[in-house]
Amino acid sequence: MKRIILAITGGIAAYKSAVLARLLVKAGFEVRVIMSQGAQAFITPLTLQALTGNAVHTELLDAAAERGMGHIELAKWADIMLIAPASANTLARLAMGMADDLLTTVCLATAAPVLVAPAMNQQMWQHPAVQLNLQTLADLGYQLVMPDSGEQACGDVGMGRLPEPDTLLVHVEHTLARLTVPQVLAGRHVVITAGPTIEAIDPVRYLSNHSTGKMGFALATACCNAGARVTLIAGGKVQLPTPLGVTRINVLSAEQMLVAAQQYVKGNENWQSVIDDDPHDHHHHDAPLLDHPPADVFIATAAVADYRTRQAAPQKIKKTQDELNLDLVKNPDILATISAEFPNVFTVGFAAETQDVERYARGKLTAKNLDMIACNDVSRSDIGFGSDDNAMTVFFRDQHDAVILPKASKGEIAAQLVGLIGRHINVRE
Ligand code: PMT
């Protein structure tokens, strides 16, 4: 059974914490609640005790509590901690590293990941002091769950609403899932292309292919779970939800995908360094407030349309003739361009082949100057495009033997590919 500390601080959103506590219990967590003084003005410890079946912790120096489960035991007991809602005052106190009440002391004393879900009035949220504290918390390794925007209890409209309990639960489970994964990409920035591209013929028609983006999105999740910061460039009109913690950029055509890939691989000059994730320390952050660093790894899963129309027709083409010839020109090769422009980036290609898979894959490895290429046989209908499964043969620049990944879900294949990428980049350095 997973153990969570739910810490509640003073704010009207504290009423949602009761629902959250119940949801966590239903999801199989053992829940212990810490309430600040402020929280108790909004909701009673008795409510949380009844919902969790455990006494609620409120005092740092309470002889009775210390005999049961003192602050250090509590800090050690937890697999994860969630502060929801986290008031502006709590953010400031955590940013300062204070330890003058139970909540702040446990935050300092725990090795478990701490998720912080701020909630406050929108004007308070915008205050530079609050924003500065959020930045500090991200740098310190706290994982921020950003508030929603919308109508607030006080009547204002804006940023600062506590996300709904089921969203908070998703964040908790996502963070726990990451804890079991070796952090082979900790501190790395990975840029991934996914899905098809679509090339306009006229305002209503286009050329494209059957890629759904599933493979690329599974890789984005796997890279993120392995500790990487991930930018996912999704082409065409990929319908999949964005994996948690991943930055998603939507583009349509190959030309747009190339521009986005160059920009995100190059990095933004204004990006601020953050404390690198330590593989032994499970504090992760998605750094939502920061710009992006240069990429360490580029993975091209996108099925890029090889050709586009020389010029998309400005108006819908009328079906007056029996025949229509499209004048097509070759699209830029995104992967080859990135590998040529950024020789220090570890480049991973995919190869979708229907015949002579190995020969073509090795050919692309050399021609595009890649570090690694993962090859799927798309002539099989049970794997490859669209399906939930895949099977791959992987070839490397610096290793003679291929690695065979037998048929498995795209999620599992992605995790195995990330293991291979991690091993090769860490050996290379
Ligand atoms: O999206 P799904 O439905 O989950 O399907 C997954 C997939 C089958 C699309 C995926 O596993 C896959 O094989 N992607 C590569 C498809 C492909 O176009 O392969 P290719 O052999 O044409 O290209 C080789 C490599 O060069 C690929 O990494 C491709 O992204 C890249 N490329 C190709 C052409 C181009 N103009 N620019 C590129 O970057």
Side-chain angles (χ1 to χ4, degrees), residues 193 195 210-215 300-306 331-335 349-353 364 368 376 378 384-386 390 392 410:
T193 65
H210 292 298
S211 170
T212 56
K214 282 182 189 169
M215 191 65 234
T301 68
V304 182
D306 290 318
N331 261 331
D333 191 305
I334 298 165
L335 180 55
F350 271 64
E353 304 293 348
K364 283 178 189 170
K368 301 194 188 195
N376 36 214
V378 287
F385 283 107
N390 214 344
M392 315 223 81
K410 283 182 176 167

Side-chain angles (χ1 to χ4, degrees), residues 321-386:
Q321 307 143 338
D322 285 342
E323 283 183 17
L324 174 68
N325 290 313
L326 292 175
D327 184 11
L328 300 180
V329 294
K330 202 152 193 195
N331 261 331
D333 191 305
I334 298 165
L335 180 55
T337 308
I338 295 292
S339 102
E341 284 181 6
F342 304 94
N344 294 329
V345 171
F346 189 90
T347 44
V348 182
F350 271 64
E353 304 293 348
T354 53
Q355 55 173 338
D356 216 350
V357 175
E358 171 159 359
R359 187 160 66 85
Y360 283 116
R362 284 205 192 270
K364 283 178 189 170
L365 185 72
T366 315
K368 301 194 188 195
N369 199 19
L370 308 178
D371 294 288
M372 170 172 157
I373 191 158
C375 188
N376 36 214
D377 180 349
V378 287
S379 65
R380 283 172 60 178
S381 63
D382 60 331
I383 58 169
F385 283 107

Side-chain angles (χ1 to χ4, degrees), residues 16-21 23 82 162-171:
K16 288 189 186 173
S17 309
V19 182
L20 175 61
L23 210 61
L82 167 63
L162 186 69
E164 293 307 317
D166 48 2
T167 306
L168 294 171
L169 177 62
V170 169
H171 280 269

Side-chain angles (χ1 to χ4, degrees), residues 149-173:
S149 182
E151 198 175 320
Q152 302 199 300
C154 54
D156 280 12
V157 177
M159 196 73 172
R161 282 164 47 113
L162 186 69
E164 293 307 317
D166 48 2
T167 306
L168 294 171
L169 177 62
V170 169
H171 280 269
V172 167
E173 288 186 326

